[in-house]
Amino acid sequence: MKAFLKNNQSKSDFDFHTQFPGLRRDVAYLDNAATTQMHQSAIDAMHAYIAGGRSNVGRGLYPMAEETMRRYDAGRSTVANFAGVDAGRCIFTKSVTEGLNAIAFGLRERLQPGDEILVSAFEHHANLLSWRRIAKERGAMVKTMPMTPSFTLDLDRAKAMMSDRTKIVAVTMMSNVLGTVLPIPDLADAAHCVGALIVVDAAQAAAHLPIDVVDLGADALVFGSHKCYGPAGIAATILSLDLIDSMEPMIVGGGMVDRVTADGATWRQGIEKFEGGSPNVEGAIGFAAALDSIAFPNQGLRSRLVTDLKSISGVTVFDPPGAVGIVSFTVDGMHPHDVADMLGQRGVCVRAGNHCAAPLVEKLSSTGTLRASLAMYNDERDIEALVSNLKEIVKKAKA
C-alpha cells in the first residue's frame, strides 16, 4: 500500500482537501466508521471509465468491451493484492453484508442439527444475523465468545468453547463500536484444530490494519470500499480455493452459468459462479484506485482523543487496550442522539446509537453511545473541535 502522507508532513502543510473533495473545511468529519470521504483518485478513475465509453463485461468482442474487461480485471487484481491473495480468490459483492450472507448461504450444507457456530460479543448485525438465520434453518446453534471487563475478547474462554461440534467461527477483526482488535490468527489456529472454518469481517479493519488473508489464517474474509475511501456499492469477498469449489452461489442469473437446459443449469468454475448479473465495473475501478492511494490513520490521534474526552466531567469513555481508530463514549444525563445533534449543529460529525451492534452496545449503555471514528485525513484540529464543543454542550446542560 502506498503511503499517502509522509511521516514528516501534517494536514496543515499538505492540502487533503485537494485529495478528498467531499471534505469541508468548516466541518470536523469523525463518522468514518460509517463511511469515509472518497479519494480523488477513485473519482478520477471512475470518471475516466464512464466518460471514456463504458460497456458490460463478459463476452463483448469489440475494443470498448475488451478495455472494460481489462479495467475490471485490473481492479480485481489490485483489491485482491491488498488482501494478500491472487485475483482468483476475490469475489465482488455489493457490500460486506451481502458477502457475509453469501458465505453463510454457501456454507449452510455443512451444518447439521446440533452443530455450533461461534461468534464474538463484538459482532455487527451483518455478521450476527446472517449466521443466526442459517443456524435456525439447519437446526444449529450460535454461541457467543465473551469479552473481558476491559472490552477485549476473552481468548481463553473462546478457545475453551471450541469442540468437534464447532463448524464455523465467524468473527470481526475490529469492533465498529470500540475499535477493539481481535486476535484472528489465534482464533484461526484454534478453529482449525477442531476442524472448523473461520470467517472474518474486516469491514472496519481494512482502513486501519494490514490485511493478509494467509497470515491471518482466514478461510473467508470480507471488506468493503466505502470505508476505505472508495465508492459505495462494492466489496471484496475473499475465499479459500476449497470454498470456491465447494460453495453454492447465493445469486443466480446471467454471467455465472456455464450451461442452461430445459430442466437445469451448471455453474461456471471459479469465482465467476458467484457473480451473477451485471457487475459494478466502475465500483471495482474506484475501489482499486482508492486502495492504491490510502495510508492508515495516525493512531496517536486516538490516544489524544481518549485523554481529552476523559478530562470532561460526566463523560465516560470506553477504551479497550490496543484499540485503534474508534472511540465510543457517553455523557451523563444526556441522550447520545441529543448530543450528536448538538455537535452536528456546530460542525462536528459523530455517530450516535447502537451502531448496528445492539448486543454489544446494550452492555455499555441502555441508550446507546456516541462514536467518533478517525480516518487518514483527520488531525488535531478535528479532535479539538469535538472536545471543545462537547465541553460547551456539557457546561450548558449543567447550568
Side-chain angles (χ1 to χ4, degrees):
M1 187 184 349
K2 292 193 297 185
F4 175 62
L5 182 64
K6 296 179 181 178
N7 291 332
N8 62 352
Q9 288 180 312
S10 68
K11 186 176 176 182
S12 60
D13 52 34
F14 195 102
D15 188 1
F16 272 87
H17 291 267
T18 64
Q19 301 300 317
F20 295 92
L23 287 176
R24 289 175 47 190
R25 295 180 185 277
D26 59 342
V27 170
Y29 186 78
L30 294 166
D31 193 23
N32 297 287
T35 200
T36 54
Q37 299 302 314
M38 197 181 303
H39 195 278
Q40 184 66 53
S41 64
I43 298 171
D44 290 343
M46 290 189 294
H47 180 267
Y49 162 67
I50 295 168
R54 65 177 188 167
S55 71
N56 212 334
V57 299
R59 299 175 180 83
L61 300 178
Y62 49 93
M64 190 182 297
E66 292 170 351
E67 176 61 14
T68 293
M69 196 70 221
R70 185 196 67 78
R71 292 189 183 192
Y72 187 61
D73 288 343
R76 190 193 304 275
S77 294
T78 297
V79 174
N81 183 66
F82 181 86
V85 298
D86 295 331
R89 292 180 57 185
C90 177
I91 298 157
F92 284 132
T93 55
K94 73 176 183 183
S95 62
V96 169
T97 297
E98 182 177 273
L100 291 168
N101 274 269
I103 293 168
F105 178 89
L107 296 180
R108 71 196 188 288
E109 296 296 332
R110 297 182 179 229
L111 296 170
Q112 302 299 323
D115 285 344
E116 295 177 355
I117 302 165
L118 299 187
V119 299
S120 80
F122 302 92
E123 299 312 315
H124 188 282
H125 295 164
N127 198 37
L128 178 62
L129 298 183
S130 56
W131 294 109
R132 281 186 178 178
R133 180 170 65 177
I134 294 301
K136 183 177 180 180
E137 291 177 2
R138 303 295 296 176
M141 295 177 287
V142 175
K143 293 189 173 182
T144 301
M145 299 177 288
M147 67 179 177
T148 68
S150 59
F151 312 117
T152 61
L153 181 75
D154 191 327
L155 183 59
D156 289 338
R157 290 176 66 187
K159 289 180 177 179
M161 292 175 66
M162 297 187 194
S163 70
D164 58 3
R165 291 175 298 180
T166 307
K167 303 305 178 185
I168 297 164
V169 177
V171 64
T172 186
M173 185 172 172
M174 172 183 164
S175 168
N176 75 311
V177 176
L178 297 164
T180 304
V181 179
L182 277 69
I184 301 301
D186 293 329
L187 287 171
D189 287 344
H192 293 155
C193 282
V194 298
L197 299 170
I198 183 164
V199 178
V200 178
D201 172 4
Q204 291 297 331
H208 294 269
L209 299 166
I211 302 293
D212 189 304
V213 173
V214 176
D215 288 347
L216 291 170
D219 297 291
L221 181 143
V222 188
F223 66 102
S225 169
H226 76 103
K227 298 184 195 297
C228 292
Y229 313 100
I234 191 164
T237 296
I238 311 295
L239 299 178
S240 70
L241 295 178
D242 174 67
L243 292 186
I244 290 171
D245 289 339
S246 61
M247 279 175 48
E248 285 289 302
M250 181 176 70
I251 296 174
V252 296
M256 52 76 64
V257 288
D258 188 38
R259 185 167 180 264
V260 177
T261 64
D263 57 358
T266 56
W267 313 139
R268 302 187 75 175
Q269 297 299 306
I271 58 175
E272 289 182 316
K273 75 176 179 179
F274 298 102
E275 294 187 354
S278 296
N280 184 355
V281 178
E282 53 264 46
I285 291 169
F287 193 1
L291 293 180
D292 258 346
S293 304
I294 67 173
F296 295 144
N298 179 354
Q299 297 301 338
L301 285 179
R302 186 187 182 281
S303 297
R304 176 181 170 180
L305 176 57
V306 168
T307 299
D308 289 356
L309 286 173
K310 285 182 175 179
S311 72
I312 305 174
S313 177
V315 172
T316 299
V317 181
F318 304 100
D319 183 29
V324 299
I326 294 172
V327 179
S328 273
F329 59 98
T330 58
V331 180
D332 289 351
M334 300 187 73
H335 196 286
H337 290 169
D338 295 332
V339 178
D341 180 58
M342 287 183 276
L343 285 169
Q345 297 302 316
R346 295 163 176 256
V348 179
C349 305
V350 298
R351 181 71 50 160
N354 66 25
H355 315 297
C356 296
L360 169 59
V361 174
E362 287 169 1
K363 292 181 173 67
L364 309 178
S365 170
S366 61
T367 57
T369 70
L370 291 141
R371 182 186 71 187
S373 48
L374 302 169
M376 60 181 287
Y377 39 69
N378 292 123
D379 70 0
E380 291 82 1
R381 289 174 294 181
D382 299 316
I383 305 303
E384 174 60 26
L386 169 58
V387 173
S388 62
N389 282 287
L390 184 60
K391 285 180 178 179
E392 291 182 10
I393 290 168
V394 171
K395 182 178 180 180
K396 287 184 177 181
K398 292 181 177 180

